[in-house]
Amino acid sequence: MARGYNRVTLLGNLARNPEIVPTNDGKPAIKFAVAVNNNWKDKNGDIHESVDFIPVVVWGKMASVCEQYLSKGSQVLVEGRIQVRSYEAKDGSGKRYSTDVVSSQVIFLGPRKEKAEKGGEDHTDDKTYEDEYEGEDIPF
């Protein structure tokens, strides 16, 4: 069987504040959407823009750090993998699918949440989850 490759890198801004997700095993998890802008020219040379809102799931200690430091509008670089899940619709109308990016790394590119809320523009706190928690296992 051929070996697969599933890697995603996103650069954008949080479309909303991170949302804590309840889990069966009690491990911390959060969800947020990253807004990614797309620009293109049509055949007439007109420039168009659209925005994709891509759902991201973060697990473990990284989730706690993201919840603490990120808020709506924060600029991030997310690395991870695409995960497609299926489930039965609550109304019994059939199978539904959900696609998320499961993060393996989040790099904070803007000011910390408390500095952003106070209007600060200090970007000296740019850091990667791995900088602070190097060597710990990610639970997925």
Side-chain angles (χ1 to χ4, degrees):
M1 180 176 203
R3 188 172 160 180
Y5 187 78
N6 182 355
R7 297 298 305 159
V8 175
T9 303
L10 303 172
L11 175 64
N13 297 79
L14 266 64
R16 60 181 178 269
N17 287 328
E19 172 188 339
I20 297 172
V21 179
T23 61
N24 295 336
D25 58 6
K27 290 182 181 176
I30 62 166
K31 281 187 165 186
F32 54 82
V34 176
V36 179
N37 295 330
N38 298 303
N39 298 309
W40 73 93
K41 285 185 183 180
D42 63 17
K43 62 183 176 182
N44 298 325
D46 297 329
I47 297 175
H48 299 273
E49 183 175 348
S50 67
V51 179
D52 292 320
F53 298 95
I54 302 170
V56 176
V57 179
V58 183
W59 292 90
K61 287 186 178 181
M62 185 175 18
S64 300
V65 172
C66 288
E67 197 277 328
Q68 181 180 1
Y69 292 112
L70 297 178
S71 61
K72 180 179 178 178
S74 296
Q75 188 178 30
V76 293
L77 186 135
V78 175
E79 293 181 341
R81 63 182 172 85
I82 294 176
Q83 179 180 37
V84 180
R85 295 175 289 124
S86 64
Y87 60 94
E88 287 296 322
K90 289 181 181 178
D91 63 3
S93 61
K95 201 175 231 184
R96 301 282 189 259
Y97 295 91
S98 173
T99 303
D100 298 310
V101 172
V102 178
S103 172
S104 61
Q105 181 174 338
V106 177
I107 300 172
F108 306 152
L109 300 175
R112 288 184 176 190
K113 183 169 142 177
E114 60 269 13
K115 288 185 181 174
E117 289 170 355
K118 294 176 185 173
E121 292 297 324
D122 182 8
H123 292 269
T124 59
D125 295 323
D126 294 356
K127 65 172 56 178
T128 300
Y129 164 80
E130 292 178 345
D131 291 342
E132 200 164 316
Y133 296 98
E134 188 172 333
E136 293 195 20
D137 291 333
I138 297 173
F140 52 85

